[in-house]
Amino acid sequence: MSEAAATVQEEEKQERSARLRDDIVTTMLAIVAALLIGAVLIAFSYERSLDSLSYVFSYPQDFFRHSGDAIWTSYEAMVKGSVGSISALSETLERAAPLICAGLGVALAFRAGLFNIGAQGQMIVAALAAGYVGWTWDLPVGLHLLVSIGAAVVVGGCYGGFVGALKARTGAHEVITTIMLNYIALLGILAFALLHPAFQRPGQTEPLSDRVADSAAYPVIGDLHLGILVALLAAALTWWILDRSTLGFQLKAVGSNPEAARTAGMSVPMAYTSAMVLAGVFSGLAATMLVNGDRFAISSTLFGTIGFDAITVALLGRGKPLGTVLAGLLFGALQVGGRAMEATSVGTSPDLAQVLQALIVLFVAAPALIAALTRRRRREPPPAFAAPSTQEEAA
Amino acid sequence: MKLEIRGLTKRFGSFTANDGIDLTVEEGEIHCLLGENGAGKSTLMNMLYGLLEPTEGEILVDGEPVSFSSPGDAIDRGIGMVHQHFMLVPVFTVAENVALGREDVRGPGILDRRASARRVRELSEAYRLSVEPDAIVETLPVGVQQRVEILKALTREAKVLILDEPTAVLTPQETDELFAIMRRLKAEGTSIIFITHKLREVRAVADRISVIRRGKVVGTTSPQASEAELAELMVGRKVNLVVEKSEREAGAPVLSARDLVVVDPRGHQVVKGVSLDVRAGEVLCVAGVQGNGQTELVKSLLGLVRAEGGSITLAGEDITHDSPRARLERGIGYVPEDRSSDGFVGDFSIRDNLVLDLFRSEQFSRGPALALRAIADNAEARIEEFDIRTPSASTHVAALSGGNQQKVVVAREMSRPLTVLIAAQPTRGVDVGSIEFIHQRIIAERDQGVAVLIVSTELDEVYALADRIAVMYDGRVVDVVGPDTPREEIGLLMAGGRDSTDGQNDVEDIA
């Protein structure tokens, strides 16, 4: 009996690792497919390959040679520019840190059944809070940083929690409210604040803030600020909340079946509100990576698309903390590497990084597409399955 | 049309769902396929309907081997299926639903609604289905929706009709109507494969019965076989259909409702001033046809819907305005009517579902953290105690059979000290073996002095469990009677046949 139970558990473990392997294979295939399409785009945006297209029927090898050069040069620059040196690597890590934090916020809300599109807005208000504390207050080193982060986290948490409370009390859909609050944060609060003396840099007429004081900055090793460590701690915390805490148990139950959760005596409004507070907290943490880590001045262009990339990071990470970290690192590398591509003789546009991100997510989100690509392999008997999938991972 | 199945086998990996099944369905025969949940009935039917490809074996239609790679192929060969969960577009009319997929047209892209409606009307009249072609499907009762599904199959000229657990969603009256329709179809030469696990129904309507157990046909018999014989074939051991229950003196009232009023979201009163007492150590069964306010009554007792009027007391204390959590913590155990929506979280493991309303307790948490070890130990113990058939404690509950899912819910609710147990339809969609088990556990709770309130639409269940029977009709308790009241009398009460006799229910209708 116990022997049978043991084999059953063994089987289950195998099944779980098979599922994990499926996830990894799908993601890897998505990345490979995205890079292949990216390669075509590089070829067709390189001037010399385009020129050689005009006589491609007489000298096809010219087109292929130029295209191959362009692709090789671009991707080589991308790899070198993102992980090829210590300084490239630290830039990648710095870029990944806010993506990971905001991605964790999206992932956590997602597990509670909420689609948080509001990371962008939560980051904006949190950045203003962190910044304000960072450049106006005068506190000892260390404490100043903590208070500044605390301000960001509290304000971000409130901005997120407001969405949760609205949903809990009135049933307002969080997708609508978060999108609207993004606009309010960017076009309302931020635009107003940056022209207000409390936020605008003294002597500046442009809507641009000051930078935080040295005492409110993340510690630095070499070129690298330690925001990435905070991001990893945040991931560990998210894992603990989701997998080990009673709060996470409720969030997941509500996310998966609110009726059953309610019947079991859980408070669904409380779960929605706390999930969105936590989402806002993680977005707030992401904002500190820019304000206290990179020590950027706050402007309307500072935030780029981080809050939206966070959604794709969480999606690619399958809503799991570790997955989100890996996805954040990948996207950080793509974005940093994308800038390096532009500096080559081929001059591929850094926008390609965005295109690659979008393609990866598209392929991951369209499992049917990947399934179609892998169908032939699936039909083979199980022993053959392991071999090609490991090859896939190697590629 | 004659349908033959020879040595049909279906394997999923190492698991054999169907193992060399032989079955013959003659023309104009109602062939009943009887088996517990998870015995392999649905797998077999899905192969017949082209949804699954057999691993081995063959299907013959009128002696000619066929192979179906999609339901379309099966339909072309005259096989129709009515699924347990209807495949209808709720906002379309009956005629539109029936026409869907093979629409009548007057020209390219122009629908001929009138022709579709006419076809529905003709067929509906021919088989006396009384279905109105212009009615919107979502406004129809389930029983009529099911007839729309049958119509759909008939318009596609089905000669063999597969009905997958058709009575699971029906009231007793609707079930009788369905049986009448089945007999008329049979008289017209249609063969029917009727899948069920309800013994009474099988004997009422079947010409022949094949019992399937663990993927194999274990016997083919006639409807003359007794229920006990059928149950034994189905479960593979002797089954005690009668719950053993000793006489027991009931104690003081524990849970009391006074003049309880519940209003549904559309503003209709659905519970119209119900007063009830459930006493310690007794089983009070609320009998009644589905939809007479039982669902809302039970939900208001747990605080899931608000009581607009009246009061609820538990052991003398007013709990009318307590939250569900507070009531659970006061010792109410609750087995909800719709287990997959209210009873468990399908993609949580059995382990987690077994503590779904207990995870806050000292036993299963340490401050903000879950006590994983204790939760795992609890799962092992409950799985053993309640005989939950599962590969392991981390299996998702959604992957279990209905009976085992219900055992998870029952095990959870009975794993803490209770003062009151409220169970709505505790054995709906549960196989015979599990019904026996769950009934025994309910009686065991009663014997420990727990006040038990059971809501059931199945009279068999009511008779098996009740110490007293409260009959509900149109939002009121019509009468409370003893367990030896004859079936006919209760049937009359269920249809509202007698006016309220016990004064206390005379509450003015506010709506």
Side-chain angles (χ1 to χ4, degrees):
Chain A
M1 180 65 205
S2 66
E3 215 170 272
T7 54
V8 155
Q9 277 186 349
E10 192 53 41
E11 266 173 36
E12 200 171 293
K13 207 176 283 174
Q14 279 174 8
E15 197 184 301
R16 212 175 313 151
S17 69
R19 221 177 305 144
L20 184 68
R21 197 173 57 204
D22 266 10
D23 275 353
I24 293 171
V25 170
T26 311
T27 310
M28 289 298 161
L29 280 175
I31 294 171
V32 170
L35 287 173
L36 287 177
I37 294 181
V40 174
L41 292 176
I42 292 171
F44 279 93
S45 58
Y46 182 40
E47 216 172 312
R48 292 182 67 177
S49 15
L50 285 179
D51 287 348
S52 57
L53 258 188
S54 57
Y55 55 89
V56 67
F57 291 110
S58 8
Y59 292 106
Q61 63 270 39
D62 260 17
F63 172 71
F64 288 111
R65 186 163 48 84
H66 289 311
S67 299
D69 278 354
I71 295 164
W72 176 252
T73 314
S74 298
Y75 280 157
E76 190 191 24
M78 183 176 238
V79 172
K80 279 193 176 153
S82 58
V83 293
S85 64
I86 296 290
S87 69
L89 196 60
S90 46
E91 209 180 330
T92 293
L93 292 177
E94 287 182 357
R95 189 57 90 93
L99 286 173
I100 292 171
C101 284
L104 290 170
V106 175
L108 196 133
F110 190 67
R111 296 292 286 276
L114 298 170
F115 209 36
N116 174 25
I117 316 283
Q120 190 81 358
Q122 291 148 18
M123 278 177 64
I124 290 173
V125 292
L128 287 173
Y132 182 81
V133 171
W135 61 68
T136 44
W137 294 11
D138 193 11
L139 292 167
V141 178
L143 181 66
H144 198 180
L145 174 64
L146 289 180
V147 174
S148 178
I149 293 175
V153 159
V154 167
V155 170
C158 290
Y159 209 69
F162 179 58
V163 172
L166 269 182
K167 182 176 178 88
R169 293 196 74 95
T170 68
H173 200 283
E174 75 280 1
V175 168
I176 310 289
T177 49
T178 47
I179 290 175
M180 293 306 134
L181 284 172
N182 283 345
Y183 285 123
I184 292 172
L186 180 68
L187 304 174
I189 298 172
L190 184 66
F192 171 77
L194 289 180
L195 292 173
H196 191 279
F199 294 93
Q200 197 174 20
R201 186 184 298 183
Q204 181 59 266
T205 50
E206 295 295 307
L208 189 72
S209 83
D210 218 335
R211 295 170 195 271
V212 296
D214 290 350
S215 54
Y218 277 114
V220 177
I221 296 179
D223 287 342
L224 176 68
H225 72 72
L226 295 183
I228 186 71
L229 285 185
V230 175
L232 294 178
L233 286 176
L237 177 68
T238 310
W239 169 81
W240 183 85
I241 290 174
L242 284 174
D243 275 21
R244 290 288 183 272
S245 76
T246 55
L247 176 65
F249 190 79
Q250 294 179 71
L251 295 186
K252 285 186 297 180
V254 167
S256 176
N257 184 349
E259 281 309 310
R262 205 165 85 86
T263 306
M266 299 177 194
S267 164
V268 176
M270 192 285 288
Y272 284 154
T273 310
S274 32
M276 281 309 296
V277 167
L278 284 171
V281 162
F282 285 117
S283 300
L285 212 50
T288 67
M289 304 296 157
L290 304 174
V291 176
N292 307 75
D294 300 317
R295 298 180 70 190
F296 289 129
I298 302 170
S299 71
S300 60
T301 54
L302 169 63
F303 303 95
T305 57
I306 295 176
F308 301 105
D309 291 347
I311 300 168
T312 47
V313 164
L315 184 69
L316 191 60
R318 307 295 196 283
K320 303 230 164 62
L322 179 60
T324 305
V325 168
L326 295 176
L329 289 172
L330 175 69
F331 276 30
L334 282 175
Q335 290 176 5
V336 173
R339 284 204 306 256
M341 286 194 306
E342 197 183 19
T344 61
S345 57
V346 181
T348 303
S349 161
D351 291 341
L352 186 71
Q354 293 280 343
V355 174
L356 289 179
Q357 285 178 20
L359 285 170
I360 292 169
V361 173
L362 192 68
F363 282 122
V364 168
L369 217 58
I370 299 291
L373 291 173
T374 55
R375 176 158 304 153
R376 268 188 43 226
R377 190 170 307 125
R378 294 273 164 107
R379 291 252 168 105
E380 287 169 17
F385 178 73
S389 76
T390 44
Q391 277 173 13
E392 220 52 73
E393 280 170 42
Chain B
M1 190 171 97
K2 183 177 169 183
L3 184 73
E4 272 177 279
I5 295 168
R6 281 192 201 148
L8 212 58
T9 300
K10 177 71 191 176
R11 289 192 200 94
F12 300 101
S14 60
F15 176 69
T16 307
N18 279 176
D19 190 1
I21 292 207
D22 296 308
L23 199 70
T24 308
V25 182
E26 303 286 347
E27 184 165 320
E29 175 186 59
I30 299 181
H31 195 116
C32 183
L33 206 58
L34 185 67
E36 294 200 283
N37 291 320
K41 294 170 294 185
S42 296
T43 306
L44 179 59
M45 289 308 119
N46 286 338
M47 285 192 284
L48 269 185
Y49 196 54
L51 287 166
L52 286 174
E53 230 168 292
T55 315
E56 281 164 29
E58 53 180 0
I59 302 169
L60 294 93
V61 170
D62 285 333
E64 188 190 324
V66 290
S67 86
F68 305 139
S69 56
S70 77
D73 295 350
I75 291 169
D76 288 344
R77 294 310 301 252
I79 296 177
M81 183 150 171
V82 175
H83 297 265
Q84 196 174 348
H85 302 286
F86 303 149
M87 312 286 178
L88 297 170
V89 185
V91 295
F92 278 14
T93 66
V94 170
E96 284 165 345
N97 264 293
V98 171
L100 205 61
R102 41 162 65 190
E103 297 84 358
D104 302 286
V105 288
R106 278 185 291 170
I110 305 165
L111 286 176
D112 189 349
R113 287 160 192 272
R114 217 170 296 162
S116 310
R118 199 182 327 116
R119 204 141 50 98
V120 170
R121 192 164 291 127
E122 281 165 10
L123 269 170
S124 167
E125 275 162 18
Y127 291 96
R128 280 185 281 151
L129 296 173
S130 46
V131 174
E132 181 53 50
D134 299 322
I136 304 286
V137 161
E138 64 184 349
T139 65
L140 298 173
V142 230
V144 181
Q145 292 192 14
Q146 190 170 57
R147 299 210 286 268
V148 177
E149 282 281 14
I150 295 176
L151 259 177
K152 243 167 80 180
L154 292 177
T155 54
R156 285 153 179 72
E157 277 141 34
K159 298 281 181 291
V160 176
L161 193 59
I162 304 170
L163 303 174
D164 188 5
E165 303 262 1
T167 59
V169 292
L170 301 183
T171 64
Q173 290 91 329
E174 286 175 327
T175 303
D176 289 342
E177 282 168 36
L178 175 68
F179 287 171
I181 291 167
M182 284 165 68
R183 292 195 189 96
R184 282 198 287 277
L185 287 170
K186 171 182 140 182
E188 302 283 329
T190 308
S191 315
I192 295 175
I193 303 179
F194 174 47
I195 304 175
T196 188
H197 57 255
K198 294 189 185 171
L199 302 171
R200 181 184 292 273
E201 292 171 356
V202 173
R203 299 182 62 229
V205 77
D207 295 317
R208 259 196 315 159
I209 303 166
S210 290
V211 182
I212 197 167
R213 187 173 79 225
R214 298 203 177 155
K216 286 184 184 160
V217 172
V218 290
T220 297
T221 170
S222 73
Q224 276 76 46
S226 74
E227 283 191 28
E229 284 167 359
L230 288 174
E232 192 180 335
L233 262 179
M234 202 163 125
V235 184
R237 62 180 164 83
K238 275 227 177 301
V239 179
N240 196 352
L241 290 171
V242 185
V243 187
E244 278 177 36
K245 191 172 127 201
S246 57
E247 281 298 312
R248 196 179 188 290
E249 196 63 29
V254 179
L255 180 73
S256 302
R258 284 288 167 272
D259 305 326
L260 209 59
V261 175
V262 179
V263 176
D264 75 4
R266 282 177 298 176
H268 300 298
Q269 253 191 30
V270 282
V271 178
K272 303 173 178 173
V274 166
S275 297
L276 278 179
D277 286 310
V278 194
R279 297 179 294 189
E282 75 159 356
V283 177
L284 176 66
C285 276
V286 175
V289 178
Q290 182 79 42
N292 276 288
Q294 305 99 310
T295 307
E296 292 80 5
L297 171 67
V298 164
K299 286 197 166 182
S300 71
L301 289 176
L302 199 79
L304 294 169
V305 298
R306 208 155 63 93
E308 295 287 331
S311 65
I312 305 163
T313 53
L314 179 66
E317 285 179 66
D318 189 351
I319 58 162
T320 318
H321 302 290
D322 283 9
S323 68
R325 179 177 164 188
R327 298 186 206 211
L328 291 170
E329 283 171 359
R330 277 171 181 272
I332 295 183
Y334 178 58
V335 179
E337 177 178 328
D338 184 346
R339 64 174 161 269
S340 51
S341 119
D342 302 338
F344 57 78
V345 178
D347 50 15
F348 269 25
S349 63
I350 294 175
R351 194 186 300 129
D352 288 347
N353 269 295
L354 280 169
V355 293
L356 202 61
D357 54 7
L358 299 167
F359 67 96
R360 284 193 201 82
S361 69
E362 255 171 56
Q363 189 187 351
F364 298 122
S365 62
R366 246 172 264 114
L370 295 167
L372 295 183
R373 189 70 251 163
I375 291 173
D377 290 345
N378 173 66
E380 294 304 329
R382 297 294 159 242
I383 288 170
E384 176 87 39
E385 183 187 350
F386 284 83
D387 190 27
I388 299 166
R389 308 274 170 83
T390 168
S392 85
S394 39
T395 304
H396 287 188
V397 171
L400 298 179
S401 71
N404 282 305
Q405 291 178 343
Q406 188 73 344
K407 281 183 186 172
V408 170
V409 177
V410 169
R412 177 183 71 220
E413 295 307 306
M414 290 184 178
S415 60
R416 58 200 163 99
L418 296 179
T419 48
V420 177
L421 174 66
I422 301 174
Q425 314 293 356
T427 57
R428 176 176 284 178
V430 169
D431 49 88
V432 177
S434 304
I435 289 177
E436 182 193 17
F437 184 83
I438 290 170
H439 281 175
Q440 280 167 358
R441 296 298 307 208
I442 289 173
I443 294 304
E445 289 290 320
R446 176 196 84 140
D447 290 343
Q448 284 172 23
V450 175
V452 181
L453 179 70
I454 303 288
V455 172
S456 182
T457 52
E458 308 252 352
L459 271 183
D460 288 341
E461 179 161 79
V462 171
Y463 277 113
L465 296 174
D467 294 313
R468 288 192 300 148
I469 303 169
V471 184
M472 265 187 97
Y473 173 73
D474 192 26
R476 296 169 210 275
V477 172
V478 192
D479 204 354
V480 181
V481 296
D484 39 15
T485 315
R487 239 169 223 275
E488 299 71 43
E489 201 179 325
I490 291 190
L492 264 173
L493 287 169
M494 281 167 74
R498 198 202 297 171
D499 279 325
S500 165
T501 48
D502 54 345
Q504 55 177 229
N505 290 315
D506 288 340
V507 173
E508 294 250 333
D509 203 334
I510 308 169

